[in-house]
Every structure is written in C-alpha cells, then in structure tokens.
Amino acid sequence: MENTIKAAYENAPQTWIYKLLLAFAIACVLAWSSSTVVISNETGNGLEVAGNILSGIFHPDTKLLFNFTTSGVAYLLLETLCIAFLGTIVGAVISVPLSFLSASNLMPRPIALIGRFAIAAIRTIPAFIYGLMFIRVTGPGPFAGLLTMSLCSIGMVSKNFIESIEDLDKRILESLDAAGCTTFQKIRYGILPQLFPDFMSTLIYRFDMNLRDATVLGLVGAGGIGAPLIFAMSAYRWNEVGSILLGLILLVLIIEWISAKIRTKLTRG
C-alpha cells in the first residue's frame, strides 16, 4: 500500500514550477499596481481627523439617538426600514409574473428570451442612477427611494425566482393532473408549496440588501438616514455620526436575527 502511494506521488505531474511562476506574476502585478498609489495629506492632520471620527463613534450624541421627532435617529431608521421593506414587496409583486413569463420550461423560447433580456437590462443600471432618475420625476424624498428599491429588486429577485420555477418537479403536477385536479388546484397544491420556501428565502435576502442600499440612497436625497449621515460627516459632527452608525448597527443586527429565525423556520418546516 505504501509503495502504491509513493509511486502515485512520484508519477504525479510536477506543477510547482507553474505555481511559482504564477506567484511571481501576481507579485509583479501587485508591485506595478502599488506604484500608482499616491498618499497625500493636504491638511497635515490626518491622524487627528481619524481620532475624532473614532471618538465620535464611541461617544455618540445621546440626545439625537433618543430623539423621537422626525429629525431623530429612530424616525430616520424607521423611514429607511419602510423604504427597504416596501421596495422589496413591490419588486416581488412585479417579479412574480415576469419570472413566470421568463421561465423556459413554461413559456415558448422567444417569450422567455425577451423576459430575460428585460431582467438583464434592469440589473445593468446601478441603484444610484435609478435614484437620481426618480428624484427628477417625483422629487427628493422617501417615495423616490421606494421606487428605486422596487426597480433594483426586480433584477435579482426575478433571476432567483426563474431558477426556482425551472426546478419545479413536474411529476407532482402530472400526478395532480391524473387525479383530475383543476388548474387552480394544481397551482395551489402542486406549484405554490414547491416555490414558497425558495421565494421567501430570496425575499428575505433581498430585504437585507435593500436595507443597506436604502441607507446609501439617502446620500442622493432618496429619503432615509443617508442624507443626515453625510451632512453630519461634512460638518465634522462626529458625535452625530456615531449616533447614526450605532442606530444602523442595532437595526441591522435585529433584522439579521429575525431573518435567521425565518430562514430556519422555512428550512426545517
């Protein structure tokens, strides 16, 4: 047995030369890339600014954090949460029919290709561009953020929905058809039970993404907590920045805990 293993090692192709050359090439590329790095500090107090940022984050403004008016962190976080949640729901409602039309196992190939092309086109444009477009149409505010999140959700949600639809077990539908079930009964007892766990898992994951994207969209005026965050940073009010970031961290942790519970429930039934 030992001789067999030893012979296998001896007869194995010697690839260490190629690995060494690959490592050398990567090192050369990294060295060349680092030559373009320029470190500049016009103010000369970079360490002081970094210290102020960390101090503000660890010493948040409690008045802003526990302010329950429309300018407080709680209200702004609630607005961000609503933008992300409603954006996910609206995007899912639009994605369901679009996904069925784009599924190659249910629709003729030309129709499925048109649907897939539309989904790919929607996914191509960044969320910032959609945000700026909707702000021009509806004006700045949460509604522009909701529309942006809805449109951005369609791309990823539809793609995952299509994969779930194309993985349907047709034998269940054939059994229901043989039992004389109507179309509604086949959808109710044959299609929805198969798709529901995958659909819900996709929506939960997309909601997590939208919650973070909604924060960033606030920077362009699409509602949420992003705008107060960038204003506080621009004015060097690091205590307010700390309050906003602390609220965001708590919100994300709570949503993550709830999402994990729902995913476990869906997985284990």
Side-chain angles (χ1 to χ4, degrees):
M1 184 67 179
E2 293 181 0
N3 294 331
T4 304
I5 297 174
K6 185 177 181 181
Y9 275 112
E10 291 177 352
N11 296 329
Q14 301 296 324
T15 60
W16 66 271
I17 298 178
Y18 299 104
K19 293 179 180 178
L20 184 61
L21 291 175
L22 179 61
F24 178 74
I26 293 174
C28 291
V29 171
L30 291 175
W32 175 74
S33 301
S34 63
S35 65
T36 61
V37 177
V38 178
I39 300 176
S40 61
N41 188 1
E42 297 178 357
T43 60
N45 59 348
L47 293 177
E48 182 181 352
V49 172
N52 292 333
I53 294 174
L54 292 176
S55 175
I57 291 175
F58 288 105
H59 299 87
D61 184 359
T62 54
K63 291 182 179 180
L64 181 64
L65 192 61
F66 296 102
N67 184 358
F68 297 103
T69 64
T70 55
S71 60
V73 172
Y75 178 84
L76 295 172
L77 287 175
L78 178 61
E79 186 177 76
T80 304
L81 180 66
C82 292
I83 291 172
F85 180 75
L86 293 177
T88 305
I89 297 300
V90 174
V93 171
I94 299 174
S95 297
V96 170
L98 187 59
S99 302
F100 277 97
L101 290 174
S102 304
S104 58
N105 61 334
L106 298 179
M107 291 293 167
R109 186 173 180 81
I111 297 178
L113 287 176
I114 293 173
R116 289 173 182 267
F117 177 79
I119 293 171
I122 293 172
R123 294 180 62 197
T124 302
I125 303 175
F128 255 42
I129 304 300
Y130 283 128
L132 293 173
M133 290 169 54
F134 284 121
I135 286 172
R136 292 290 183 181
V137 175
T138 65
F143 187 58
L146 189 153
L147 294 177
T148 303
M149 288 292 93
S150 301
L151 200 56
C152 292
S153 299
I154 292 174
M156 192 206 85
V157 172
S158 297
K159 185 177 183 296
N160 290 349
F161 280 8
I162 291 171
E163 293 177 357
S164 300
I165 293 171
E166 291 181 343
D167 290 337
L168 281 172
D169 189 354
K170 293 185 177 180
R171 292 174 297 180
I172 297 177
L173 300 180
E174 292 173 356
S175 300
L176 294 174
D177 193 23
C181 295
T182 62
T183 302
F184 176 78
Q185 289 174 330
K186 286 189 286 186
I187 294 173
R188 170 65 180 83
Y189 298 105
I191 294 179
L192 292 182
Q194 295 186 65
L195 297 180
F196 182 76
D198 291 339
F199 278 21
M200 287 301 299
S201 180
T202 298
L203 292 181
I204 292 171
Y205 179 60
R206 184 65 211 184
F207 172 65
D208 289 342
M209 294 178 61
N210 283 347
L211 185 60
R212 293 163 178 81
D213 291 344
T215 303
V216 178
L217 282 177
L219 302 179
V220 296
I225 204 167
L229 176 60
I230 194 64
F231 291 153
M233 294 179 68
S234 300
Y236 303 104
R237 298 193 297 266
W238 302 117
N239 291 338
E240 295 183 10
V241 173
S243 301
I244 295 173
L245 292 179
L246 180 61
L248 279 173
I249 292 171
L250 293 176
L251 178 63
V252 170
L253 289 177
I254 293 172
I255 296 300
E256 188 66 28
W257 180 77
I258 296 174
S259 300
K261 292 292 184 181
I262 297 176
R263 288 194 189 97
T264 302
K265 182 65 175 178
L266 292 173
T267 303
R268 298 179 181 177

